[in-house]
């Protein structure tokens, strides 16, 4: 049973609607438009909204959308046939009204389609019932029953023959692969005078086979003993010439007082002065204002200028034929026209580090968007598909929600509470380093920061944050801010409960008047259930304002797996009725990938969450905001 079936234009005018139940179809259809059609995620023609499953079909020639909705617990096999039949009949019946392509004509038009729809619905339901149910195959129908009984009986004489043939084949393979070793194996057989086997027309007896196997076993066993004796001899000289360990000037000290770096720092005490060069730590560039990400380079610009020069010297005749080649010329695009171009585009996206599944879905979405669309006279299929793909990629990198941290922090200040940000991600992606960069950006904008060291598992995690805190304190000393401590580390050592430390840090920040609390968590793999449960507990108990997933730009298909499993684990292990998931993404190591920027597309597509920050270096100023057009330009560059 269908809940609804609606037909509307891409401009938003509802032409006809069928209501199977009393509930309105406005909410599910608006969710489909907002989450799929506007976000260029049309690779799959199915969409789930709460308890409903929506299937849709796009008519790009007449700018129409056909949507059917039904309960997702039902398995309706006739829905695809119904939506195709309705699309075909509605388009043919009201072709003249739709071709006028004006909102006034569509509003004034009368689309009496109820009787036709009910007839098509009955036909689709009856066609699904006509199909006979699948029955289990009987033994008489199987291939095993057709074999004679004699073929399944094994005699005692046949089994050794098969083994001899197999051993002969294995020996032939070894002769082709091993070279001199194979010839050495063949010598004993010639000396022993054993027959050649069934290939030579002579059958081996049981005793001969046993004797042959015994000789082969002795040869292999003897060779193994020789190898072991050689290995023991070769290891002996290595022990004699053992190198003495080198003693470095700044290392090798066993004095505990020299090795203890944790004595001068406790929660609330000022840090020691920094003896390093502040300019090297800070980097160049404005720290308080995030610059847009620039994916172009001088080499690319020079190559583009050089490529344009020889094109001007080409003959006008060759240029004319090149321009006319591949023109479509006022006809509607079909799947066959776009297939070769989309295959090349898909391979190009995968080469640029886009996950394979997402590259396929993107190309499928572009094909659904362009199928049936009428092209201009001087438009090529390649340029049309490329332009549609670029528009889809830009739309994907600009998701529904935009994270504005500075505005949210000022709103939290008016409520007299700290703004809490939690960082999570897998091991080694740069969570602590980029937390320090974001701390510096917040300090440059005049906000005080408390860093909560909740990574109580990794050795050196607290010391790393302590070093960053000391450097940030040197860049923003209290003397420059009226005696106010701008950055401070809150830590309780190792082996403690991370959720409890985060709770104490938030309470400490509220009492001391800190504006922002940045919570650093331990790196964990997405398949580690105990650590994912601990992360879900930390997020559920402390309810941070922003949960940022830190991922590196070097990954391809792994980005999809990480984000999907992180979100799933947070939802499964959360104790809240509405679990808290990832709110944004921090993309790190972006300066190491050149133009292979596909991880940005993969992460945004799979989560529908924005990329808030992009890490582009090792200094505190190497933090950028995502420029969607620059990323897409680098992605589409050949």
């Amino acid at each position: 049973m269908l809940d609804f079936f609606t037909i509307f234009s891409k401009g938003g005018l509802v032409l006809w609607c069928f209501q199977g139940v009393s509930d309105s179809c406005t909410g599910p259809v608006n969710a489909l438009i907002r989450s799929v059609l506007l976000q260029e995620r049309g690779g799959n023609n199915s969409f789930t909204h709460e308890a409903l499953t929506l299937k849709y079909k796009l008519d790009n020639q007449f700018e129409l959308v056909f949507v059917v909705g039904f309960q997702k617990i039902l398995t309706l096999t006739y829905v695809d046939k119904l939506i195709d039949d309705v699309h075909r009949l509605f388009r043919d019946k009201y072709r003249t009204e739709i071709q006028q392509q004006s909102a006034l004509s569509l509003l004034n038009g009368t689309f009496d389609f109820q009787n036709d729809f009910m007839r098509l619905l009955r036909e689709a339901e009856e066609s699904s019932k006509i199909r006979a149910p699948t029955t289990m195959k009987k033994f008489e129908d199987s291939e095993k029953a057709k074999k004679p009984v004699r073929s399944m009986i094994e005699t005692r004489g046949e089994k050794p023959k098969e083994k001899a043939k197999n051993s002969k084949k294995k020996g032939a393979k070894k002769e082709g692969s091993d070279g001199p070793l194979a010839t050495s194996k063949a010598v004993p057989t010639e000396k022993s005078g054993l027959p050649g086997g069934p290939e030579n027309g002579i059958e081996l007896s049981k005793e001969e086979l046993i004797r042959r196997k015994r000789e082969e076993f002795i040869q292999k066993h003897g060779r193994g003993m020789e190898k072991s004796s050689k290995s023991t001899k070769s290891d002996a000289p290595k022990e004699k010439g053992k190198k003495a360990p080198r003693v470095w000037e700044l290392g090798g000290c066993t004095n505990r007082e020299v090795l203890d770096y944790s004595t001068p720092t406790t929660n609330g005490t000022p840090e020691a002065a920094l003896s390093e060069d502040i300019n090297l730590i800070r980097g160049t560039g404005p720290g308080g204002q995030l610059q847009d990400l620039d994916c172009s380079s001088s080499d690319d610009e020079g190559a583009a200028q050089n490529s344009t020069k020889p094109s001007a010297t080409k003959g006008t005749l060759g240029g004319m034929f090149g321009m006319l080649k591949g023109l479509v010329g006022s006809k509607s695009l079909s799947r066959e026209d776009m297939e070769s171009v989309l295959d090349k585009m898909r391979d190009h996206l995968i080469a640029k580090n886009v996950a394979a599944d997402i590259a396929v879905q993107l190309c499928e979405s572009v094909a659904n968007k362009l199928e049936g669309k009428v092209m201009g006279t001087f438009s090529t299929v390649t340029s049309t598909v490329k332009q549609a793909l670029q528009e889809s990629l830009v739309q994907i990198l600009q998701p529904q929600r935009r994270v504005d941290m500075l505005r949210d922090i000022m709103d939290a200040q008016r409520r007299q509470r700290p703004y809490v940000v939690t960082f999570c991600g897998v091991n080694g992606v740069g969570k602590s380093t980029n937390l320090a960069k974001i701390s510096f950006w917040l300090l440059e904008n005049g906000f005080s920061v408390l860093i909560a060291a909740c990574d109580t598992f990794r050795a050196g995690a607290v010391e790393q944050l302590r070093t960053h805190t000391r450097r940030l304190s040197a860049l923003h000393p209290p003397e420059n801010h009226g005696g106010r401590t701008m950055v401070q580390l809150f830590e309780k050592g190792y082996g403690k409960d991370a959720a409890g430390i985060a709770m104490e840090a938030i309470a400490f920040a509220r009492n001391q008047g800190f504006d922002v609390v940045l919570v650093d968590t331990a790196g964990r793999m997405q398949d580690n259930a105990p650590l994912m449960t601990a992360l879900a507990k930390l997020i559920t108990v402390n309810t941070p304002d922003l949960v940022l997933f830190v991922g590196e730009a070097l990954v391809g298909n792994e980005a999809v797996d990480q984000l999907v499993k992180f979100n799933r684990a947070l939802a499964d292990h959360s104790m809240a009725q509405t679990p808290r998931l990832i709110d944004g993404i921090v993309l790190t190591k972006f300066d190491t990938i050149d133009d292979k920027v596909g991880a940005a597309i993969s992460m945004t597509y799979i989560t529908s969450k924005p990329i808030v920050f992009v890490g582009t270096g090792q200094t505190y100023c190497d933090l950028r905001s995502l420029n969607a057009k620059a990323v897409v330009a680098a992605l589409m560059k050949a």
Side-chain angles (χ1 to χ4, degrees):
M1 180 181 177
L2 301 182
D3 284 29
F4 65 87
F5 195 111
T6 181
I7 305 171
F8 59 92
S9 67
K10 289 187 178 179
L13 295 175
V14 179
L15 306 183
W16 180 82
C17 184
F18 163 77
Q19 287 285 140
V21 294
S22 58
D23 295 339
S24 174
C25 65
T26 306
V29 173
N30 285 339
L32 172 70
I33 295 171
R34 191 167 49 246
S35 302
V36 178
L37 301 181
L38 293 180
Q39 292 294 318
E40 301 290 349
R41 299 173 188 270
N44 189 6
N45 66 341
S46 180
F47 172 70
T48 303
H49 176 71
E50 295 179 354
L52 292 178
T53 296
L54 278 68
K55 288 200 171 185
Y56 61 94
K57 185 178 180 65
L58 303 178
D59 188 336
N60 298 303
Q61 184 177 0
F62 298 110
E63 301 290 326
L64 298 178
V65 184
F66 298 78
V67 183
V68 59
F70 54 92
Q71 295 293 323
K72 65 180 179 181
I73 60 173
L74 301 177
T75 305
L76 303 181
T77 58
Y78 61 84
V79 171
D80 293 330
K81 180 181 183 305
L82 175 65
I83 201 169
D84 290 337
D85 294 342
V86 170
H87 168 238
R88 192 181 305 109
L89 182 60
F90 188 87
R91 182 187 60 187
D92 296 340
K93 187 174 182 180
Y94 301 105
R95 182 181 294 270
T96 56
E97 287 90 342
I98 300 171
Q99 278 181 339
Q100 294 178 5
Q101 292 185 352
S102 63
L104 188 60
S105 64
L106 292 177
L107 286 172
N108 295 333
T110 56
F111 300 97
D112 187 11
F113 197 65
Q114 186 74 19
N115 296 330
D116 297 327
F117 175 77
M118 297 307 297
R119 176 176 58 81
L120 293 175
L121 180 59
R122 284 193 300 270
E123 292 177 359
E125 289 177 344
E126 290 172 0
S127 65
S128 64
K129 292 178 183 177
I130 290 172
R131 297 176 182 175
T134 57
T135 57
M136 290 184 63
K137 188 188 292 185
K138 297 180 180 179
F139 177 74
E140 290 78 8
D141 301 332
S142 63
E143 294 184 1
K144 191 174 182 180
K146 299 175 184 178
K147 292 182 179 180
V149 180
R150 184 176 296 176
S151 64
M152 290 185 281
I153 297 176
E154 295 180 355
T155 59
R156 291 185 65 183
E158 290 178 359
K159 202 167 184 179
K161 290 180 185 178
E162 294 176 1
K163 287 186 178 179
K165 287 182 180 180
N166 294 335
S167 64
K168 193 69 179 178
K169 289 179 182 177
K170 288 178 183 177
K173 288 181 182 177
K174 288 179 181 178
E175 285 177 6
S177 59
D178 294 343
L181 289 175
T183 57
S184 64
K185 289 181 182 178
V187 172
T189 58
E190 293 174 2
K191 288 182 181 178
S192 59
L194 289 173
E199 288 86 353
N200 298 332
I202 303 171
E203 292 185 0
L204 295 173
S205 64
K206 191 174 181 180
E207 290 79 11
E208 289 174 342
L209 282 171
I210 293 172
R211 189 176 60 184
R212 193 174 192 177
K213 294 288 185 184
R214 187 181 293 127
E215 289 178 359
E216 289 178 1
F217 176 76
I218 292 171
Q219 289 173 7
K220 291 179 182 178
H221 189 68
R223 188 177 291 110
M225 293 291 290
E226 290 175 4
K227 286 182 180 178
S228 61
S229 62
K230 286 180 182 178
S231 62
T232 53
K233 289 179 182 178
S234 60
D235 292 340
K238 291 182 181 177
E239 294 179 358
K240 292 180 181 178
K242 193 174 182 180
K243 281 183 73 175
R246 183 172 180 178
V247 180
W248 298 91
E249 295 179 0
L250 300 178
C253 182
T254 58
N255 188 0
R256 183 175 295 180
E257 296 179 357
V258 177
L259 295 175
D260 188 7
Y261 293 97
S262 60
T263 48
T265 56
T266 54
N267 298 325
T269 59
E271 298 287 345
L274 188 70
S275 60
E276 302 176 66
D277 189 1
I278 295 180
N279 293 325
L280 292 177
I281 299 170
R282 183 188 185 279
T284 58
Q289 183 180 1
L290 287 179
Q291 298 179 347
D292 287 338
L293 186 67
D294 186 15
C295 297
S296 62
S297 61
S298 58
D299 298 338
D300 299 335
E301 294 174 0
Q305 292 177 359
N306 294 333
S307 63
T308 55
K309 288 179 182 179
S311 63
T313 61
K314 285 184 178 179
T316 56
L317 187 62
M320 182 64 69
F321 279 114
M323 182 181 67
L324 293 176
K325 184 180 180 181
L327 294 182
V328 178
S330 296
K331 76 163 189 175
S332 59
L333 277 175
S334 63
R335 288 272 180 158
E336 290 75 16
D337 297 333
M338 298 181 288
E339 187 174 359
S340 60
V341 180
L342 287 174
D343 289 344
K344 292 179 181 178
M345 289 291 179
R346 185 188 65 247
D347 296 340
H348 176 76
L349 291 176
I350 294 173
K352 292 286 186 175
N353 231 9
V354 180
D357 294 341
I358 292 176
V360 172
Q361 293 179 27
L362 282 171
C363 293
E364 187 68 22
S365 175
V366 171
N368 293 336
K369 181 180 178 181
L370 295 179
E371 187 178 9
K373 190 173 183 180
V374 178
M375 305 301 302
T377 305
F378 293 99
S379 298
T380 62
V381 177
T382 305
S383 62
T384 304
V385 172
K386 188 174 181 180
Q387 183 179 359
L389 185 60
Q390 284 180 342
E391 293 173 358
S392 299
L393 293 174
V394 171
Q395 192 67 36
I396 286 168
L397 287 174
Q398 296 173 345
Q400 305 169 14
R401 185 194 172 197
R402 183 174 180 269
V403 177
D404 191 348
M405 277 187 63
L406 299 181
R407 182 193 61 192
D408 296 340
I409 292 170
M410 288 187 284
D411 183 55
Q413 278 181 330
R414 287 191 291 269
R415 299 180 184 180
Q416 296 181 352
R417 67 173 185 84
Y419 184 81
V420 183
V421 184
T422 300
F423 295 81
C424 62
V426 300
N427 308 78
V429 294
K431 291 184 296 297
S432 302
T433 304
N434 285 273
L435 181 146
K437 293 180 185 179
I438 295 171
S439 302
F440 176 72
W441 173 65
L442 293 172
L443 292 171
E444 290 285 314
N445 284 280
F447 298 110
S448 57
V449 178
L450 178 68
I451 300 175
C454 295
D455 185 358
T456 63
F457 181 76
R458 176 173 65 91
V462 177
E463 287 76 13
Q464 182 183 5
L465 291 178
R466 186 177 294 132
T467 302
H468 283 303
T469 305
R470 188 170 68 249
R471 290 177 172 180
L472 292 170
S473 298
L475 292 170
H476 286 272
E479 296 82 23
N480 298 347
H481 299 275
R484 181 188 179 190
T485 302
M486 294 300 293
V487 59
Q488 191 172 319
L489 176 66
F490 187 91
E491 54 96 2
K492 291 292 183 181
Y494 295 98
K496 307 293 193 310
D497 181 29
I501 295 176
M503 183 181 292
E504 293 181 22
I506 295 170
F508 181 80
R510 187 181 293 110
N511 296 331
Q512 297 296 324
F514 282 94
D515 299 323
V516 186
V517 179
L518 301 182
V519 180
D520 183 34
T521 61
R524 62 205 75 210
M525 296 305 294
Q526 62 269 22
D527 299 319
N528 194 326
L531 290 180
M532 294 306 300
T533 306
L535 178 64
K537 175 188 173 184
L538 185 147
I539 293 174
T540 305
V541 169
N542 296 286
T543 60
D545 299 281
L546 189 64
V547 179
L548 293 178
F549 176 84
V550 184
E552 58 185 5
L554 301 171
V555 296
N557 293 328
E558 186 69 12
V560 178
D561 188 59
Q562 289 174 5
L563 282 165
V564 167
K565 290 186 177 179
F566 256 82
N567 266 334
R568 188 186 303 158
L570 291 178
D572 293 344
H573 301 301
S574 177
M575 295 173 285
Q577 188 175 2
T578 56
R580 184 68 180 278
L581 304 179
I582 293 168
D583 299 318
I585 300 168
V586 179
L587 198 59
T588 65
K589 306 177 185 178
F590 207 83
D591 54 323
T592 64
I593 58 171
D594 195 24
D595 59 348
K596 297 184 184 295
V597 295
I601 300 292
S602 302
M603 291 182 178
T604 314
Y605 188 91
I606 205 67
T607 58
S608 301
K609 301 299 180 183
I611 295 176
V612 186
F613 300 105
V614 180
T616 59
Q618 299 181 7
T619 63
Y620 290 143
C621 287
D622 293 327
L623 196 67
R624 301 286 184 269
S625 62
L626 187 74
N627 185 358
K629 293 183 179 179
V631 171
V632 172
L635 192 66
M636 298 302 293
K637 186 175 62 176

